[in-house]
Short mmCIF file of all heavy atoms in Angstrom, two decimals:
data_model
loop_
_atom_site.label_atom_id
_atom_site.label_comp_id
_atom_site.label_asym_id
_atom_site.label_seq_id
_atom_site.Cartn_x
_atom_site.Cartn_y
_atom_site.Cartn_z
N GLY A 25 108.95 95.10 83.93
CA GLY A 25 107.78 95.87 84.33
C GLY A 25 106.60 95.66 83.41
O GLY A 25 105.44 95.59 83.86
N ALA A 26 106.85 95.55 82.10
CA ALA A 26 105.77 95.31 81.14
C ALA A 26 105.12 93.96 81.37
O ALA A 26 103.89 93.81 81.30
CB ALA A 26 106.32 95.41 79.72
N ALA A 27 105.94 92.92 81.64
CA ALA A 27 105.40 91.60 81.90
C ALA A 27 104.52 91.61 83.15
O ALA A 27 103.44 91.00 83.18
CB ALA A 27 106.54 90.59 82.05
N ALA A 28 104.99 92.30 84.20
CA ALA A 28 104.19 92.39 85.43
C ALA A 28 102.89 93.15 85.18
O ALA A 28 101.84 92.82 85.75
CB ALA A 28 105.01 93.07 86.52
N THR A 29 102.96 94.17 84.33
CA THR A 29 101.76 94.94 84.01
C THR A 29 100.73 94.09 83.29
O THR A 29 99.53 94.12 83.59
CB THR A 29 102.13 96.16 83.15
OG1 THR A 29 103.02 97.00 83.89
CG2 THR A 29 100.90 96.95 82.75
N VAL A 30 101.19 93.31 82.31
CA VAL A 30 100.28 92.43 81.58
C VAL A 30 99.69 91.36 82.51
O VAL A 30 98.50 91.06 82.47
CB VAL A 30 101.01 91.77 80.40
CG1 VAL A 30 100.14 90.69 79.75
CG2 VAL A 30 101.40 92.82 79.37
N ALA A 31 100.52 90.81 83.38
CA ALA A 31 100.07 89.75 84.27
C ALA A 31 99.03 90.23 85.27
O ALA A 31 98.22 89.43 85.76
CB ALA A 31 101.27 89.14 85.00
N THR A 32 99.04 91.52 85.59
CA THR A 32 98.11 92.05 86.61
C THR A 32 97.00 92.90 85.99
O THR A 32 96.34 93.64 86.73
CB THR A 32 98.88 92.89 87.64
OG1 THR A 32 99.57 93.96 86.97
CG2 THR A 32 99.90 92.04 88.38
N ARG A 33 96.79 92.78 84.69
CA ARG A 33 95.79 93.65 84.06
C ARG A 33 94.38 93.38 84.58
O ARG A 33 93.50 94.24 84.51
CB ARG A 33 95.83 93.51 82.54
CG ARG A 33 95.46 92.16 82.00
CD ARG A 33 95.67 92.10 80.49
NE ARG A 33 95.28 90.83 79.91
CZ ARG A 33 96.04 89.75 79.88
NH1 ARG A 33 97.25 89.80 80.41
NH2 ARG A 33 95.59 88.62 79.33
N ARG A 34 94.12 92.17 85.09
CA ARG A 34 92.80 91.84 85.65
C ARG A 34 92.84 91.74 87.17
O ARG A 34 91.90 91.23 87.78
CB ARG A 34 92.28 90.53 85.05
CG ARG A 34 92.08 90.59 83.55
CD ARG A 34 91.49 89.30 83.00
NE ARG A 34 91.39 89.33 81.55
CZ ARG A 34 90.40 89.91 80.88
NH1 ARG A 34 89.42 90.52 81.55
NH2 ARG A 34 90.37 89.90 79.57
N HIS A 35 93.92 92.19 87.76
CA HIS A 35 94.09 92.11 89.22
C HIS A 35 94.54 93.48 89.73
O HIS A 35 95.72 93.67 90.05
CB HIS A 35 95.09 91.03 89.58
CG HIS A 35 94.76 89.69 89.02
ND1 HIS A 35 93.81 88.84 89.57
CD2 HIS A 35 95.26 89.03 87.93
CE1 HIS A 35 93.73 87.74 88.87
NE2 HIS A 35 94.60 87.82 87.86
N PRO A 36 93.64 94.43 89.83
CA PRO A 36 94.03 95.80 90.19
C PRO A 36 94.68 95.92 91.57
O PRO A 36 95.55 96.76 91.77
CB PRO A 36 92.72 96.59 90.12
CG PRO A 36 91.64 95.57 90.17
CD PRO A 36 92.20 94.34 89.55
N VAL A 37 94.27 95.08 92.52
CA VAL A 37 94.88 95.17 93.84
C VAL A 37 96.35 94.77 93.77
O VAL A 37 97.23 95.45 94.33
CB VAL A 37 94.12 94.27 94.85
CG1 VAL A 37 94.86 94.26 96.19
CG2 VAL A 37 92.70 94.78 95.04
N LEU A 38 96.63 93.67 93.08
CA LEU A 38 98.01 93.25 92.91
C LEU A 38 98.81 94.29 92.12
O LEU A 38 99.97 94.56 92.43
CB LEU A 38 98.06 91.89 92.21
CG LEU A 38 99.44 91.26 92.03
CD1 LEU A 38 100.15 91.12 93.36
CD2 LEU A 38 99.33 89.92 91.32
N ARG A 39 98.16 94.88 91.10
CA ARG A 39 98.82 95.95 90.34
C ARG A 39 99.20 97.10 91.26
O ARG A 39 100.33 97.63 91.20
CB ARG A 39 97.90 96.44 89.23
CG ARG A 39 98.33 97.74 88.55
CD ARG A 39 99.44 97.52 87.56
NE ARG A 39 99.00 96.69 86.47
CZ ARG A 39 98.32 97.10 85.40
NH1 ARG A 39 98.03 98.37 85.26
NH2 ARG A 39 97.98 96.26 84.45
N GLY A 40 98.28 97.51 92.12
CA GLY A 40 98.57 98.60 93.03
C GLY A 40 99.72 98.28 93.97
O GLY A 40 100.56 99.13 94.25
N LEU A 41 99.77 97.04 94.46
CA LEU A 41 100.86 96.64 95.35
C LEU A 41 102.20 96.68 94.63
O LEU A 41 103.21 97.12 95.19
CB LEU A 41 100.59 95.24 95.91
CG LEU A 41 99.44 95.12 96.92
CD1 LEU A 41 99.19 93.66 97.26
CD2 LEU A 41 99.76 95.92 98.18
N LEU A 42 102.22 96.21 93.39
CA LEU A 42 103.47 96.23 92.63
C LEU A 42 103.93 97.65 92.35
O LEU A 42 105.12 97.97 92.47
CB LEU A 42 103.29 95.47 91.31
CG LEU A 42 103.25 93.95 91.41
CD1 LEU A 42 102.99 93.34 90.03
CD2 LEU A 42 104.54 93.39 92.00
N VAL A 43 103.01 98.52 91.97
CA VAL A 43 103.37 99.92 91.71
C VAL A 43 103.84 100.60 92.99
O VAL A 43 104.81 101.37 92.97
CB VAL A 43 102.18 100.68 91.09
CG1 VAL A 43 102.48 102.17 90.99
CG2 VAL A 43 101.86 100.13 89.71
N ALA A 44 103.19 100.29 94.11
CA ALA A 44 103.62 100.88 95.39
C ALA A 44 105.03 100.43 95.74
O ALA A 44 105.88 101.25 96.14
CB ALA A 44 102.65 100.47 96.49
N THR A 45 105.31 99.14 95.57
CA THR A 45 106.65 98.63 95.88
C THR A 45 107.69 99.24 94.95
O THR A 45 108.77 99.66 95.38
CB THR A 45 106.67 97.10 95.76
OG1 THR A 45 105.69 96.55 96.64
CG2 THR A 45 108.04 96.55 96.12
N GLY A 46 107.35 99.31 93.65
CA GLY A 46 108.28 99.90 92.70
C GLY A 46 108.54 101.37 92.98
O GLY A 46 109.68 101.84 92.92
N THR A 47 107.48 102.10 93.33
CA THR A 47 107.64 103.53 93.64
C THR A 47 108.52 103.73 94.86
O THR A 47 109.41 104.60 94.87
CB THR A 47 106.26 104.17 93.87
OG1 THR A 47 105.44 103.97 92.71
CG2 THR A 47 106.38 105.66 94.13
N TRP A 48 108.29 102.93 95.88
CA TRP A 48 109.10 103.04 97.10
C TRP A 48 110.57 102.81 96.82
O TRP A 48 111.44 103.54 97.29
CB TRP A 48 108.59 102.04 98.12
CG TRP A 48 109.42 101.95 99.37
CD1 TRP A 48 110.06 102.97 100.01
CD2 TRP A 48 109.72 100.77 100.12
NE1 TRP A 48 110.73 102.51 101.12
CE2 TRP A 48 110.54 101.15 101.21
CE3 TRP A 48 109.35 99.43 99.99
CZ2 TRP A 48 111.00 100.23 102.15
CZ3 TRP A 48 109.81 98.52 100.93
CH2 TRP A 48 110.63 98.92 101.98
N THR A 49 110.87 101.80 95.99
CA THR A 49 112.26 101.45 95.77
C THR A 49 112.99 102.44 94.87
O THR A 49 114.22 102.56 94.95
CB THR A 49 112.39 100.04 95.17
OG1 THR A 49 111.66 99.98 93.94
CG2 THR A 49 111.86 98.99 96.13
N VAL A 50 112.28 103.17 94.01
CA VAL A 50 112.97 104.09 93.09
C VAL A 50 113.01 105.52 93.60
O VAL A 50 113.81 106.32 93.11
CB VAL A 50 112.34 104.06 91.68
CG1 VAL A 50 112.30 102.66 91.12
CG2 VAL A 50 110.95 104.67 91.66
#
């Protein structure tokens, strides 16, 4: 999760999609 966060620090839309997917799955 930390690596994905760093990789999307300049891509807020992608960050939002990843957080949405993670939230749904947990």
Side-chain angles (χ1 to χ4, degrees):
T29 299
V30 171
T32 58
R33 64 185 182 277
R34 298 184 184 278
H35 305 281
V37 174
L38 184 56
R39 168 78 64 82
L41 290 174
L42 285 177
V43 172
T45 303
T47 303
W48 174 36
T49 58
V50 304

